[in-house]
């Protein structure tokens, strides 16, 4: 997939990843090439075990590739050290997982502020206002002081979406974000991701098994045996 | 407030019960450590005070003379013979020779506060009630007050009367009780075939039973007459400005005065070692409580880490470094340690105060009617340091393990 008029915000070339013990290692990613552009939503689909999540974690710098290069916002991060990768995750990448992974001891506002605390580029009051704004945008403006474990599953996942956007990252990576939700909440969470990506000009990459969700993305990337088959424009 | 500290506090509060157990262990360990040290040190110091008050910091006794052995050596080339003198031992003569000159020499030492002659001899003491063997101590009445606490140790009668009356005597409380002696009584000293009547001016109590049951103090000139040792001095009792330096001063003093110099540390070595052993044993046993609280902290943090692997993974994924994760858990250990130490100090001080008011009558090696405590900042510092080292070490290990968690593995493991 090439969109030559713009620079990709996330790019990988010849990505290989092996998992497991050296004796029984599995070649999961077999030379994946990919470019993501701002303002677009991408869905990765494919059978279980084809390497979708491994690719997402590798692109999200939670995992290291064995071969190949990754460029985030034009910066080659393939050989960057642990601290640099962590900083890039904080500043450039927002994650949404199948489980919300909110910190139950914190309120919804505080959960959203946690990535901002780490980045430390805003004053506390500004962080709080931004957290409230994000909660408003995911429809939870009235639950700013609610402890995270006092929310329903759908609400928790919406807070997780808001948290992923906390530092206004150019990239949002979502691993089965609706996998744990009912149809209604799945639609709400996907719509949020989709609309916010458009509004904030972010690239959103979603790993999903849900064909309906995939169809509503701008692009569908079909994966099989560790490589993309044919790119397909959806939407 | 740093984000790591903020997160640490919340994690900590989420495991209140487990953390309170660890906290209680630290408080108890630190508190008991302090009170045990306050008591053992308190009793040890009272013992030292008693010993110094009765026998002085240094005792100069027994003249010694180095004995020489001569060795003849023949030079190989010339065949000349040389004779070398070599120290082979010491000859001792009981008592102090030329006591005034020895005292004069002692005053050359800047640490010497006062020195006083004492003549000691065995007598039989009797009254209408009974006869007992005793030790007569002839002292220089005024000077002896500068090398002992005898004046403070008078429990019945009057020191003034003792000082004014040349035939006055001070009798130890244990001996006086056995013989039913009271101030104003007349008692009889018998040495050989001769008897001498003296008047009891006062009864003293050092608290050291061996002293109180046998020593009778009288003027040294009277003692010399009674014991028929007109010019003798058994030993010189010396008080020092800095009693801790007694052991250090001893060798120089010995070489100058050519008499045996016995510092209090050597004279009371056995008891001092007993006190030290008790103090160290208390320190070890109470440190073990702190050690166990450290283990408690270790297991509490290990449990928190096991329960919070997902939270740790998400923190790592949103930009918290391994160092941040370590700090989050070390902060928890630090908070509990610091709060535990502060509360332990308070508990220790309170228990020490309560202990100091507990009535207990002890006679034997010192005299006290209540628990003796020593208020020393060092007890608090040492207790705090032990707690800090144990608990923080116990916190660092699981914290480092938490930092090693791979976020990708954890999140993948919890994904469906």
């Amino acid at each position: 997939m090439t969109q030559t008029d713009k620079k990709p915000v996330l790019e990988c070339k010849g990505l290989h990843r092996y998992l497991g013990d050296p004796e029984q290692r599995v070649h999961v990613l077999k030379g994946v090439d990919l470019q993501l552009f701002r303002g677009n939503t991408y869905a990765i689909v494919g059978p279980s075990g084809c390497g979708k999540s491994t690719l997402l974690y590798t692109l999200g710098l939670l995992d290291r590739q064995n071969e190949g290069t990754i460029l985030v916002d034009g910066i080659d991060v393939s050989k960057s050290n642990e601290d640099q990768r962590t900083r890039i995750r904080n500043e450039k990448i927002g994650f949404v997982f199948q489980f919300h992974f909110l910190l139950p001891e914190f309120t919804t506002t505080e959960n959203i502020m946690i990535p901002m605390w780490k980045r430390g580029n805003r004053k506390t009051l500004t962080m709080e206002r931004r957290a409230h704004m994000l909660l408003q945008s995911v429809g939870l403006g009235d639950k700013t002081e609610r402890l995270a474990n006092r929310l329903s599953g759908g609400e928790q996942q919406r807070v997780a979406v808001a948290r992923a956007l906390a530092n206004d990252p150019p990239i949002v990576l979502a691993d089965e974000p609706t996998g744990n939700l009912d149809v209604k909440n799945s639609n709400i969470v996907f719509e949020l991701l989709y609309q916010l990506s458009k509004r904030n000009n972010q690239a959103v990459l979603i790993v999903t098994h849900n064909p309906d969700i995939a169809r509503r993305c701008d692009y569908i990337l079909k994966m099989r045996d560790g490589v993309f088959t044919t790119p397909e424009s959806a939407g | 407030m740093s984000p790591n500290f903020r997160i640490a506090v919340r994690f900590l509060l989420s495991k209140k019960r487990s953390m309170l157990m660890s906290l209680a262990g630290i408080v108890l360990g630190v508190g008991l450590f302090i009170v045990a040290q306050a008591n053992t040190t308190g009793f040890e110091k009272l013992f030292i005070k008693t010993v110094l008050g009765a026998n002085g910091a240094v005792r100069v006794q027994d003249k010694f003379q180095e004995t020489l052995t001569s060795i003849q050596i023949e030079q190989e080339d010339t065949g000349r013979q040389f004779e070398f003198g070599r120290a082979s031992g010491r000859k001792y003569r009981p008592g102090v020779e030329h006591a005034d000159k020895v005292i004069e020499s002692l005053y050359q030492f800047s640490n010497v506060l006062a020195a006083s002659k004492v003549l000691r001899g065995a007598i039989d003491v009797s009254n209408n009630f009974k006869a007992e063997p005793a030790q007569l101590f002839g002292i220089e009445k005024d000077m002896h007050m500068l090398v002992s606490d005898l004046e403070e140790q008078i429990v019945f009668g009057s020191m003034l009367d003792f000082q004014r009356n040349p035939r006055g005597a001070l009798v130890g409380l244990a001996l006086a009780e056995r013989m039913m002696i009271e101030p104003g009584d007349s008692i009889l000293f018998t040495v050989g075939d001769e008897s001498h009547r003296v008047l009891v001016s006062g009864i003293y109590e050092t608290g050291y039973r061996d002293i109180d049951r046998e020593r009778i103090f009288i003027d040294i000139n009277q003692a010399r007459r009674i014991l028929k040792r007109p010019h003798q001095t058994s030993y010189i009792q010396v008080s020092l400005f800095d009693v801790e330096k007694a052991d250090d001063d001893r060798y120089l003093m010995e070489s100058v005065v050519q008499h045996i110099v016995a510092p209090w540390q050597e004279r009371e070595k056995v008891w001092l070692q007993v006190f030290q052993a008790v103090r160290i044993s208390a320190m070890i046993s109470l440190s073990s409580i702190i050690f166990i609280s450290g283990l408690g902290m270790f297991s509490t943090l290990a449990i928190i880490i096991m329960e919070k692997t997902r939270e740790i993974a998400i923190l790592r994924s949103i930009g918290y470094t391994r160092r941040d994760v370590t700090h989050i858990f070390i902060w928890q250990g630090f908070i509990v340690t610091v709060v535990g130490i502060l509360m332990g100090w308070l508990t220790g001080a309170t228990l020490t105060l309560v202990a100091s008011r507990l009535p207990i009558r002890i006679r034997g090696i010192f005299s006290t009617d209540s628990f003796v405590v020593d208020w020393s900042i060092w007890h608090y510092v040492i207790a705090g340091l032990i707690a800090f080292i144990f608990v923080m070490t116990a916190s660092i290990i699981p914290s480092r393990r938490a930092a090693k968690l791979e976020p990708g593995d954890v999140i993948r493991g919890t994904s469906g």
Side-chain angles (χ1 to χ4, degrees), chain A residues 63 82 99 105 114 118, chain B residues 308 316 320 324 412 414:
Chain A
D63 222 343
E82 185 76 32
F99 296 98
E105 299 84 4
I114 288 170
K118 179 60 196 167
Chain B
K308 296 221 171 280
R316 293 275 291 112
Y320 284 75
D324 289 324
R412 235 195 310 261
T414 48

Side-chain angles (χ1 to χ4, degrees), chain B residues 129-201:
Chain B
F129 181 65
K130 69 191 288 193
E132 289 275 347
Q135 290 288 322
L136 189 64
F137 279 70
I139 57 171
E140 297 176 291
K141 285 182 176 176
D142 291 335
M143 282 310 291
H144 199 78
M145 301 309 127
L146 298 176
V147 296
S148 74
D149 292 336
L150 191 58
E151 194 167 6
E152 297 165 26
Q153 290 159 351
I154 302 290
V155 285
F156 300 111
S158 140
M159 177 54 87
L160 198 64
D161 183 55
F162 173 66
Q163 281 171 322
R164 281 180 184 166
N165 186 347
R167 293 169 65 81
L170 294 175
V171 181
L173 182 65
L175 180 64
E177 280 174 351
R178 273 214 311 271
M179 294 184 66
M180 301 185 76
I181 294 171
E182 287 181 2
D185 287 358
S186 133
I187 51 174
L188 205 63
F189 293 162
T190 307
V191 182
D193 300 333
E194 283 189 28
S195 293
H196 304 266
R197 189 162 291 281
V198 297
L199 206 64
V200 176
S201 300

Side-chain angles (χ1 to χ4, degrees), chain A residues 54 57 62-63 82-83 86 89-90 95 97-99 101 103-106 110 114-115 117-118 163, chain B residues 3 6-7 10-11 14 308 310-311 314-320 322-324 411-412 414-416:
Chain A
T54 304
Y57 292 127
L62 291 171
D63 222 343
E82 185 76 32
D83 282 355
T86 309
R89 283 203 299 270
N90 179 247
F95 288 98
F97 300 103
Q98 184 176 353
F99 296 98
F101 291 141
L103 272 60
E105 299 84 4
F106 292 85
E110 287 168 332
I114 288 170
W117 288 340
K118 179 60 196 167
R163 182 182 61 192
Chain B
R6 203 186 299 228
I7 295 168
R10 290 294 173 88
F11 279 3
S14 74
K308 296 221 171 280
R310 293 193 314 179
E311 282 84 350
I314 199 69
L315 284 171
R316 293 275 291 112
S317 74
I318 60 179
Y320 284 75
R322 291 190 195 280
R323 209 175 310 116
D324 289 324
I411 294 166
R412 235 195 310 261
T414 48
S415 293

